[in-house]
Amino acid sequence: MGQLVWDASQRRDHATARSYYDQGVTVARRLRDHALEGHALLRTCYVALYGAQDPRTGLDLALQAAATARSISPALTGMALLHAGEAHAMLGEAKECERALDAAQRHLERSDGLDAAADLVSPGQFGRLAGSCYLSLGQHRRAQQFLETTAAELQDRRKSRAIVLGNLTLAYIRQREVDAAVITLAEAITELEETRGGGGLNVVFSAAKELRPWRQDPVVADIHDRLFALMATM
């Protein structure tokens, strides 16, 4: 329910989503279900990081989720550490981010079909988060490398791919590679026309804002027109 409410509100209704996740944590603790508790904490972390833009709270929640799941689920532990890495990146803590990413990768490599949270891990997951981390840290070329590879891997996961393409657009813009940015952003908008994913919309609008210095370019103007048309249908 928390995930449904947050997605349906285009990631705006943080309070209701958190209330459902809090209920999940409470029930999980009564049942002594560490996988459920860790998953609810991780989902609450997403709201802090991507909704409230509060990386310090997000970091605390991610570390709580990792500690809760460490003994029972490498997949959930790895996912939590990936998001701890992103929180560190948002805080500008490069060394801590690298350590979290390395630890996350080790845990994810240990996950198998018997893992209680194996279904949380999907192709391109590590590359998507690593690319986002390096983007936040200002390491734009490194972010680009991860994101280009990941976008190619996610042809059948359109919501995730829209987020990756939006971040890749930002990596191009910040290297002043405007032509590549416009092509990539157009591809991201195409994905969003099908999925309407809130996470992708947020990243794509951020990228479109950073293209404003080139708004007199007809190709950039066309991108903004497509975004307005997309919003008009929602």
Side-chain angles (χ1 to χ4, degrees):
M1 282 301 299
Q3 185 178 355
L4 177 63
V5 166
W6 206 40
D7 285 349
S9 69
Q10 300 295 326
R11 295 191 170 188
R12 295 188 184 94
D13 189 352
H14 312 325
T16 305
R18 280 196 302 266
S19 72
Y20 280 113
Y21 295 143
D22 288 345
Q23 290 178 49
V25 170
T26 299
V27 171
R29 286 174 178 167
R30 288 177 181 170
L31 296 174
R32 294 183 174 84
D33 186 333
H34 297 303
L36 177 59
E37 180 183 352
H39 193 186
L41 288 167
L42 182 58
R43 286 286 174 184
T44 313
C45 162
Y46 295 170
V47 176
L49 286 180
Y50 310 123
Q53 298 291 309
D54 181 355
R56 184 60 65 191
T57 298
L59 176 59
D60 290 342
L61 288 162
L63 293 176
Q64 286 180 52
T68 300
R70 193 175 300 275
S71 64
I72 55 147
S73 174
L76 185 50
T77 305
M79 287 295 297
L81 289 170
L82 273 180
H83 288 87
E86 184 153 34
H88 282 303
M90 292 168 74
L91 292 164
E93 299 168 352
K95 290 182 179 178
E96 292 85 350
C97 173
E98 291 275 7
R99 283 197 290 268
L101 291 178
D102 288 343
Q105 190 166 38
R106 289 195 300 272
H107 283 284
L108 292 172
E109 288 171 351
R110 289 175 46 219
S111 179
D112 57 27
L114 297 176
D115 193 312
D119 61 328
L120 293 182
V121 182
S122 60
Q125 195 90 51
F126 183 86
R128 180 170 72 85
L129 270 295
S132 181
C133 286
Y134 291 120
L135 187 64
S136 294
L137 291 170
Q139 299 181 31
H140 302 132
R141 182 63 65 184
R142 198 169 182 186
Q144 176 189 332
Q145 292 166 350
F146 273 104
L147 295 167
E148 284 177 341
T149 300
T150 304
E153 295 173 350
L154 294 178
Q155 298 294 335
D156 60 342
R157 300 183 67 88
R158 306 188 75 173
K159 282 189 176 182
S160 296
R161 192 165 187 265
I163 295 172
V164 170
L165 290 169
N167 279 329
L168 181 55
T169 300
L170 289 167
Y172 285 138
I173 293 170
R174 292 169 188 178
Q175 296 173 86
R176 304 189 74 79
E177 297 180 14
V178 178
D179 290 343
V182 169
I183 292 169
T184 305
L185 188 56
E187 194 173 354
I189 294 170
T190 297
E191 300 286 18
L192 287 172
E193 287 169 345
E194 295 294 327
T195 67
R196 302 295 201 273
L201 282 169
N202 291 341
V203 177
V204 162
F205 273 96
S206 295
K209 287 179 183 177
E210 292 199 20
L211 276 174
R212 282 177 180 170
W214 298 275
R215 61 184 176 275
Q216 300 305 321
D217 186 314
V219 180
V220 176
D222 180 62
I223 285 289
H224 284 95
D225 288 344
R226 284 189 66 189
L227 274 176
F228 286 132
L230 176 61
M231 291 304 297
T233 64
M234 296 182 68

